[in-house]
Amino acid sequence: VSPRAGCPQRAQYGPCSLRRMSVMEALELLDQLVDESDPDVDFPNSFHAFQTAEGIRRAHPDKDWFHLVGLLHDLGKVLVLFGEPQ
C-alpha cells in the first residue's frame, strides 16, 4: 500500500470528480487567486507560470520536460477554489 493511499485529498481529488479542465483552463483559474506567498504582485499568477517555464527553457533548452514542470509547478493552487488552504 502506498504511504499516500490513506490521504484524504487523494480520495477527494484523485478521481478528478469535482471538475475536469485543460491545463490552459487551470492556468486561467490561477488568475482568480491572490497568492498568500506573494500578495503584492501586480501581474496574473499565470504570467508567473509562463515566466518560470521560459526562464527554464532559456537555461535548459534541451530539457522540454523541465519547461513543462516550470509551467505546471503552481497548478495545485487552484484547489483553493475548492476549499483547500493555501
Side-chain angles (χ1 to χ4, degrees):
V1 172
S2 164
R4 296 176 7 176
C7 175
Q9 284 81 11
R10 178 177 292 273
Q12 184 175 1
Y13 301 117
C16 298
S17 59
L18 290 177
R19 181 172 175 181
R20 285 190 153 325
M21 66 186 86
S22 70
V23 169
M24 292 306 294
E25 289 169 325
L27 285 168
E28 289 172 9
L29 278 180
L30 278 178
D31 293 343
Q32 295 179 19
L33 307 174
V34 175
D35 190 345
E36 289 178 356
S37 66
D38 211 0
D40 298 330
V41 173
D42 289 335
F43 52 83
N45 290 315
S46 62
F47 182 79
H48 168 69
F50 287 110
Q51 193 177 43
T52 302
E54 178 60 16
I56 292 170
R57 186 193 63 78
R58 284 188 191 139
H60 304 280
D62 57 324
K63 297 181 177 150
D64 4 352
W65 65 269
F66 199 12
H67 313 162
L68 181 61
V69 169
L71 183 67
L72 303 179
H73 79 281
D74 274 344
L75 284 188
K77 291 180 180 181
V78 300
L79 292 177
V80 163
L81 300 173
F82 299 99
E84 289 295 322
Q86 285 196 32

